[in-house]
C-alpha cells in the first residue's frame, strides 16, 4: 500500500506523532476493533470507504508518562480526523478526565490542529452521576467549537463508527 498519510503538514497529528513504537497499525483495514485483553468492551471503526488510517496506542505509547491521565487509543484518518478512544469500567467521570487530559497534552499544549476531533468512551456499564453531565457538556462544546464540529459518544459494551 502506498501510504498517503506521511510526516507532512497536511497531516499535522501524524507529523508530530509518527514514532513506530506507538503505532498499532497503518493501513486501509475495513474493520478496526479495539479492545482490552480479557475484556468485553470494544470500540469498532467500520472503514467501509477504505480510507487510510493510523491506529495509535496512546496510554503507554504516545504518552508514556504514568503521572498524567490519558486515554487508551487514537485513530487518525487521511481526512485529518482524530478519534480518541477510552475503554473504561463504570467510571465515566474519570474517562472524561482522561479524554480532556489527552486533548491538552497532544493537541492544545503543542498547538496541533486537526480538522475534526471525536471522543469515544466505551463503558462496561453506564451509571452516570450528575457531576459527569457538566463535564460531558464542556467536552461536547470544546469538540464542536474548537475541533471542526467534532462529537462525543459514550456507549455501554460496544461502540461503532463508520467512515
Amino acid at each position: 500500500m502506498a501510504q498517503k498519510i506521511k510526516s507532512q503538514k497536511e497531516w499535522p497529528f501524524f507529523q508530530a506523532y509518527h514514532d513506530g513504537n506507538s503505532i498499532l497499525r497503518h493501513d486501509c483495514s475495513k474493520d478496526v476493533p479495539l479492545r482490552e485483553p480479557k475484556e468485553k468492551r470494544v470500540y469498532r471503526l467500520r472503514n467501509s470507504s477504505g480510507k487510510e488510517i493510523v491506529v495509535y496506542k496512546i496510554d503507554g505509547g504516545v504518552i508514556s508518562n504514568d503521572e498524567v491521565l490519558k486515554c487508551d487509543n487514537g485513530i487518525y484518518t487521511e481526512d485529518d480526523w482524530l478519534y480518541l478512544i477510552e475503554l473504561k469500567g463504570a467510571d465515566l467521570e474519570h474517562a472524561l478526565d482522561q479524554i480532556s487530559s489527552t486533548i491538552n497534552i497532544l493537541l492544545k499544549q503543542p498547538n496541533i490542529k486537526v480538522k475534526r476531533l471525536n471522543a469515544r468512551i466505551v463503558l462496561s456499564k453506564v451509571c452516570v452521576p450528575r457531576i459527569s453531565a457538566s463535564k460531558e457538556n464542556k467536552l461536547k462544546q470544546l469538540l464542536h467549537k474548537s475541533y471542526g464540529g467534532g462529537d462525543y459518544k459514550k456507549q455501554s459494551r460496544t461502540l461503532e463508527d463508520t467512515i
Side-chain angles (χ1 to χ4, degrees):
M1 170 189 96
Q3 294 181 340
K4 292 180 189 174
I5 300 174
K6 294 180 172 48
S7 182
Q8 298 171 342
K9 64 179 180 180
E10 295 93 330
W11 297 281
F13 189 82
F14 186 77
Q15 186 176 21
Y17 307 107
H18 60 274
D19 174 12
N21 296 328
S22 303
I23 295 175
L24 300 175
R25 67 194 307 167
H26 184 168
D27 56 28
C28 297
S29 295
K30 297 277 188 189
D31 184 36
V32 184
L34 296 173
R35 63 172 50 94
E36 291 179 335
K38 301 179 183 177
E39 294 290 337
K40 293 183 180 181
R41 295 179 303 274
V42 63
Y43 172 81
R44 174 168 269 117
L45 181 69
R46 301 262 186 215
N47 187 9
S48 58
S49 56
K51 292 182 188 246
E52 186 175 329
I53 58 161
V54 182
V55 179
Y56 290 92
K57 176 183 172 89
I58 292 180
D59 187 354
V62 177
I63 303 174
S64 56
N65 183 346
D66 290 334
E67 303 296 314
V68 299
L69 295 175
K70 63 259 181 206
C71 67
D72 294 316
N73 298 98
I75 299 176
Y76 186 61
T77 74
E78 68 180 63
D79 299 323
D80 191 31
W81 286 25
L82 178 63
Y83 293 80
L84 294 178
I85 297 121
E86 175 59 28
L87 304 169
K88 185 54 88 195
D91 192 346
L92 176 61
E93 187 172 350
H94 188 66
L96 290 164
D97 290 341
Q98 288 174 278
I99 294 281
S100 294
S101 177
T102 302
I103 293 168
N104 282 328
I105 294 167
L106 297 183
L107 299 171
K108 277 187 178 176
Q109 289 174 1
N111 196 28
I112 293 171
K113 304 288 184 204
V114 293
K115 276 189 191 162
R116 184 168 172 157
L117 176 62
N118 298 299
R120 304 294 186 251
I121 298 173
V122 184
L123 301 154
S124 52
K125 57 185 174 184
V126 179
C127 48
V128 183
R130 283 265 185 238
I131 192 161
S132 297
S134 68
K135 286 186 179 186
E136 282 182 301
N137 286 335
K138 280 183 184 175
L139 179 60
K140 286 177 190 177
Q141 288 173 358
L142 174 71
L143 296 173
H144 187 74
K145 288 180 182 174
S146 301
Y147 294 100
D151 65 359
Y152 157 76
K153 293 180 185 175
K154 72 172 183 277
Q155 187 83 25
S156 178
R157 305 220 185 246
T158 302
L159 179 64
E160 288 189 11
D161 281 307
T162 301
I163 58 171

